[in-house]
Amino acid sequence: MFSPQMAGYDRAITIFSPEGELYQVRYAGEAVKRGWATVGLKCSDGVVLAAEKRKLGPLIDLNSIEKVYMIDTHIGAASAGLLSDARILIDYAREQAQVYRLLYDEQADVEYITKRISDLEQAYTQHGGVRPFGIALIIGGVDKNGPRLYQTDPSGIYFGYYATALGSGSTLILEYLEKNYKYEMDINSCIKLTIKSLSLVAESLDADRFEIGVIDAKTKSFRKLTIDELSKLIEEAKNEGLPQRPSA
Amino acid sequence: MFSPQMAGYDRAITIFSPEGELYQVRYAGEAVKRGWATVGLKCSDGVVLAAEKRKLGPLIDLNSIEKVYMIDTHIGAASAGLLSDARILIDYAREQAQVYRLLYDEQADVEYITKRISDLEQAYTQHGGVRPFGIALIIGGVDKNGPRLYQTDPSGIYFGYYATALGSGSTLILEYLEKNYKYEMDINSCIKLTIKSLSLVAESLDADRFEIGVIDAKTKSFRKLTIDELSKLIEEAKNEGLPQRPSA
Amino acid sequence: MFSPQMAGYDRAITIFSPEGELYQVRYAGEAVKRGWATVGLKCSDGVVLAAEKRKLGPLIDLNSIEKVYMIDTHIGAASAGLLSDARILIDYAREQAQVYRLLYDEQADVEYITKRISDLEQAYTQHGGVRPFGIALIIGGVDKNGPRLYQTDPSGIYFGYYATALGSGSTLILEYLEKNYKYEMDINSCIKLTIKSLSLVAESLDADRFEIGVIDAKTKSFRKLTIDELSKLIEEAKNEGLPQRPSA
Amino acid sequence: MFSPQMAGYDRAITIFSPEGELYQVRYAGEAVKRGWATVGLKCSDGVVLAAEKRKLGPLIDLNSIEKVYMIDTHIGAASAGLLSDARILIDYAREQAQVYRLLYDEQADVEYITKRISDLEQAYTQHGGVRPFGIALIIGGVDKNGPRLYQTDPSGIYFGYYATALGSGSTLILEYLEKNYKYEMDINSCIKLTIKSLSLVAESLDADRFEIGVIDAKTKSFRKLTIDELSKLIEEAKNEGLPQRPSA
Amino acid sequence: MFSPQMAGYDRAITIFSPEGELYQVRYAGEAVKRGWATVGLKCSDGVVLAAEKRKLGPLIDLNSIEKVYMIDTHIGAASAGLLSDARILIDYAREQAQVYRLLYDEQADVEYITKRISDLEQAYTQHGGVRPFGIALIIGGVDKNGPRLYQTDPSGIYFGYYATALGSGSTLILEYLEKNYKYEMDINSCIKLTIKSLSLVAESLDADRFEIGVIDAKTKSFRKLTIDELSKLIEEAKNEGLPQRPSA
Amino acid sequence: MFSPQMAGYDRAITIFSPEGELYQVRYAGEAVKRGWATVGLKCSDGVVLAAEKRKLGPLIDLNSIEKVYMIDTHIGAASAGLLSDARILIDYAREQAQVYRLLYDEQADVEYITKRISDLEQAYTQHGGVRPFGIALIIGGVDKNGPRLYQTDPSGIYFGYYATALGSGSTLILEYLEKNYKYEMDINSCIKLTIKSLSLVAESLDADRFEIGVIDAKTKSFRKLTIDELSKLIEEAKNEGLPQRPSA
Amino acid sequence: MFSPQMAGYDRAITIFSPEGELYQVRYAGEAVKRGWATVGLKCSDGVVLAAEKRKLGPLIDLNSIEKVYMIDTHIGAASAGLLSDARILIDYAREQAQVYRLLYDEQADVEYITKRISDLEQAYTQHGGVRPFGIALIIGGVDKNGPRLYQTDPSGIYFGYYATALGSGSTLILEYLEKNYKYEMDINSCIKLTIKSLSLVAESLDADRFEIGVIDAKTKSFRKLTIDELSKLIEEAKNEGLPQRPSA
């Protein structure tokens, strides 16, 4: 029998392979794997979303690169994959959050927003003439059910997570999180755990190379850490001891 | 003569093979076979819908994974296959159930809802530019005709069942059910039979690894078992004796 | 010269082969040939529509499998081929029958309904982006012209019949009918002839393995035989002598 | 250079071959050639349309097979080719005839109806995503210009004829007609000539194997001959002497 | 390098070959070359449009074949190529002429009508999913600028002509016209010149084998010559001496 | 690596080659190169647009061939390439000029019209299902900024020019213009320069073989030179000395 | 495994390669690389946008070539790639800026405009039947946040920059900018740095071969430098010393 590549089962989103696989969706997942490291953690008192920023060149304004986004005052997201695809999904999520407020006069649940994004992603895996979104999102927030953390992928599947990671090096980060994450951690401990886990793969530990968003369960408000806050927490994380990077 | 693969009869939903086969529909069925084990049983006094939950990783919130869904207060469903496709069909079913209530001021029959889902599935097997749904659903409920259990597949065909199973290991489960299922069983016995049959293929017998929905003929209300209920019933099932798992 | 398969004349409904053949329509006919045996007879005082039901498994509810359908109070149909395609055509026929009643305040003729179904089937053989219906229908009923029996196929062609059969084993059944069918037979004799002919290919002679619909010329009403009626008539047919099944 | 088949010039209606040929239209013509023999004659006092009916099986109701159709009270047609395609064109013609009556409060000319059919056929030879109609029609009638006879083919071309034949055996029939047709023949002579010419290829000379429609110039009314009329005229034709069938 | 045929530059109207050629348009021109001989002449006092009619068989009514058409009272056209395509363009032209009258309350110029036809032809050479028209038209008439003669082809290009010819044998006819046409010829001389030129390729010189339309500058009225007129003019042409046909 | 032709990068307007080339646009440019020679000059007191007319045959009315067009009273254009494509663009330009007048009650600038044409051309290079326009235009006129001359090509790019040439022989003409064109030349000198440059490639120097349009900066009015004017200016150009034609 | 070229992963925008790459987007980037050198700098008191103009011929009006565009009074852009694609995006940006003013009665931020352009570019990378824009833009301006500089590419990704360069020779220019650009430079120093960097690849240092736009933070107004200003600044840059061009 032919390989899927030879047989052409991987040339369109509307074609199943004989094993029931959608190869174009799988390939879109490869674009995610090549993205920069991204981490999300559910804490006892909120949610932490973080991403590494790679230095694309000395003349790029790192502040202009966004990998952690506010979706609504109480919901944020972090992405890995094709940045322009991410922007489209984030805009869609923001719009859905506003429409929800208009219709029901209250904030949308985190899962509701996750589901709307995922439904759009699914549609791009079943109808011809398009390609799937080359993006995965970690979506976190605090709603009436408390802190919530979800991850969605190009197929439109989503699950809830305690902690998760995407992008290049995510296997290493996940291993570290599985060993060190604890359900009762508070936001501060989570941020430091995030920094430690990212330090396993990050190009640098400079504060401007991290982007961290936090949603506090009390205020239900998304905000990004300042450079000063980041510097201080990186220092604290260093003092607590960073994990050893694997030798190449 | 060419094999269907070589001749390309399996590259589009709009192409019959010389034997009158729709290969893309068959391939969609492979996605179902690779799904997690799912079981449905019609009891003398209601319907039981159950699914195993696989542990995708220690940091995934098992509660966020849904394989058994409420469609209306009196109807539920369990799925095997592409989870994002399932979500689309479940949403469609919920919508149809609500529309029916609005139009006729009464609850839709279980078969009516099954038929609406199946008709949508059929449409995706006859028109180009799409792929079939990679999903099979077990749909159960209690309506004016008493307990009802149906199963639908990617081709849009559906049948009524006394007991049925989908996903990986379903052959083993079906064999067991054929020997042990009895028409006069009540809900409690059915749940235990379900647990026993799933134990043949389940990764673990922990209560949080099962999702069981029940529709009671008296209340006509779908509800999911709590962890406590599940733990107790698993214990009872163990006491009654679990079937021996086949050696690998 | 190439074979049609090699030359690709059989890859789309919009392509004639050099001999003026529509191969996709022919292939759809193969799906019909693989269907379960189905029989229709015109009687002096009505019409009989019958189908064998195969046992797909011990846990399937045979009552949920429908191969003989009521289209309107005076018209029924029996199908062979892709069951989900059949459902779409039967629904379309029912709708057309209701529309006709609304517009003209009388029952549609059997041929009118047959024609509407066939026109839809034809459309699916002439326009790209779809596949033909993988189904053939025997349509019978009693209208102002008396008992009427038609058969339509995936190409959208239909003819009137005295007696006809579809699906696997239909060649054997037709041979038997050609020898034993008589124009003046009444409904009761026709049912028994139907049972005898189906006995040539049926898996079992149990009453629940047959589905028989009857339209009586006097009442002009379609109804399905009950299990009791079926049991009695099967017994009578046996007493009259069943045809010998061909040895394999 | 490639043959048209190898080069793929015959795979779509929107592709001319290097010689300016539309192969899909030519192939549609092959479906016509394989149709049953069909004849049309213009008489001094009307038009005769006739077709042979082949016996598809002993249980088919020959009366249900229509190859000669009434389009309006003063126009009829006979077809060769794909029967379901013919039905679509005939329905279209009937509709056009009714619309004409509504708009202009008079009967449409025979050529007007022929032109409407042909224009539809042409459209199916110039736009992608469809196939040509696999049908040719002989259209006859009596209008204010007297008796009129036309023939249209899958390309949408039509001509007027004194006498014409379509389908398998039409070459033989045309040769016979060219020798024996005379402009001044009346309807009765024409019917007998039709019977004689069809006898060259017909399976049988039984009256129910012929379908003959006549439009009388005086009444301007289409009607089909009864079995009795047919029997009598076949007898007369036999007495006058039938042409010798070519030995195989 | 590949030949255009091998490289597939000739499979769709939307593909230029590396030399900037539209092969499908060129192939449509081949359909024109195979058409019957057609001639148009501008005279000092009007326009002559003529075509040969080939005898497709002894039973075809030559009068039903139209190759010279009236478009408006003051404009006519003659065609070579696919007859059904011609009909569509002629109908379009007639419609445009009527619309012009409605909008501006005067007759359209000959060039205006030519341009509308040509624009439609061009559209069929630039958009996918269609094929070009397989037809060329000679369009003549008399408007406020006096006699006018144009020729349009499948590409949608048109030019004005003093005299022109299309179809099989047109090279021979054009050579003859170039030598014998004179600007100051009147309609009568032009008709005879037309007959002489067509005699070079015509199957027969019988009057019913020619179709000649004339638009007189004085009356600005299109009319077709009667058989009697044709017979007389053929006789006159013969008396003046017909050109010698080339030996095969 | 494959050549673009082998790899199929040149089969559709929606496909970039690995070097970022749109081959279908390049091929459309070949149609332009094969057009007849066309020249445009910006003068101190206006603009000159000129084209050679090739003799397609002795019976074609040269006056009916238009290569220099009026777009609005103050703007003209000259084309090289597919004549029917040119007509579509010229009509579009005229329409845009009229719409501009309606909306703003003043004449459109020459660049505005050039831009509208070019935008349409660009659209035909980015969307599937069409082919690019096989045409280049020289657009000239006088607006509030004085004399203006632009050239647009199939890609939809346009530039301003002092002098430019298109079509077969344009390389030769451009070389001559580069040596002899001077910014301060008046219209009369420009026309003679145009004639001299075209004489390098023209089939003949007869006045009816040139088409020259002029827009005078004072009157801001486009007009075409008469045969008499052309004859006189050709004579003057000859007296001043024509450039030597390159030997073949 | 096949190369992407052989396997056809690079033939459509809707196909991911197995590595998650969109080859058609990458190829569009090649068109950008072949564009003329373009530079953008953020200064302490404004933004500088610059481009080299290549001499396409002596008769082209260099003033008509635009590579630096005003989008709104406070925003400009410079492009590299397909000029006609650039025009479409610039027009779109201008329209969006006007719409923003209309809706919100204030000037749009530079990033808002950048995002609208990038969203359009993204859409052309995800839907079939189109090709990506073969263009990259440097967008600069001054808004309420001070000077802003962005760059967007065919994928629809954009980043903020201190200094950036596009087109042929951009690698060389970027290296030079990385060494010599300083955040605190004022507009005048930036212009000279721009000239120096472009001098590394420019065909000539004539003032008319540069196009430089400046947005001053005080006036928030985009304007292009005059030839005189350019001449003076080129002279100053020369006096300060131009970088040495690499030997070929």
Side-chain angles (χ1 to χ4, degrees), chain A residues 9 16 19 115 128 156 160 162, chain B residues 10 24 34 59 64 87 91 129:
Chain A
Y9 297 123
F16 277 107
E19 312 83 42
K115 195 170 163 314
Y162 297 106
Chain B
D10 62 347
Q24 274 296 311
R34 293 197 341 234
L59 296 172
S64 77
R87 211 176 54 231
D91 280 354

Side-chain angles (χ1 to χ4, degrees), chain D residues 51-55 62 195 198-211 234 238 242 245:
Chain D
E52 188 207 358
K53 286 183 184 180
R54 293 261 165 100
K55 193 126 189 130
L62 271 175
I195 290 167
L198 283 173
S199 77
L200 278 162
V201 301
E203 277 181 4
S204 134
L205 291 185
D206 291 350
D208 64 350
R209 302 295 287 279
F210 291 94
E211 190 178 15
I234 291 168
K238 279 185 184 162
L242 299 181
R245 286 174 77 117

Side-chain angles (χ1 to χ4, degrees), chain D residues 12-23:
Chain D
I13 198 59
T14 57
I15 300 180
F16 277 106
S17 78
E19 312 83 42
E21 187 86 33
L22 296 168
Y23 274 91

Side-chain angles (χ1 to χ4, degrees), chain D residues 226-243:
Chain D
T226 61
I227 287 287
D228 286 350
E229 291 174 306
L230 276 168
S231 302
K232 194 164 148 274
L233 285 158
I234 291 168
E235 216 48 47
E236 288 180 28
K238 279 185 184 162
N239 291 342
E240 291 177 16
L242 299 181

Side-chain angles (χ1 to χ4, degrees), chain A residues 7 9 14-22 115 118-119 122 125-128 155-156 159-163 178, chain B residues 5-6 10-11 24 27-28 30-31 34 56 58-61 64-65 84-85 87-88 91 124 129-133:
Chain A
Y9 297 123
T14 55
I15 300 180
F16 277 107
S17 77
E19 312 83 42
E21 187 85 33
L22 295 169
K115 195 170 163 314
S118 301
D119 284 356
Q122 192 277 344
T125 74
Q126 192 166 21
H127 300 90
S155 74
F159 295 120
Y161 282 81
Y162 297 106
E178 287 173 12
Chain B
Q5 284 75 24
M6 283 180 69
D10 62 347
R11 300 297 142 72
Q24 274 296 311
Y27 293 174
E30 293 299 315
R34 293 197 341 234
L56 295 170
L59 296 172
I60 287 193
D61 178 0
S64 77
I65 307 179
S84 42
D85 283 19
R87 211 176 54 231
I88 302 301
D91 280 354
Y124 275 75
V130 297
R131 60 166 177 81
F133 284 92

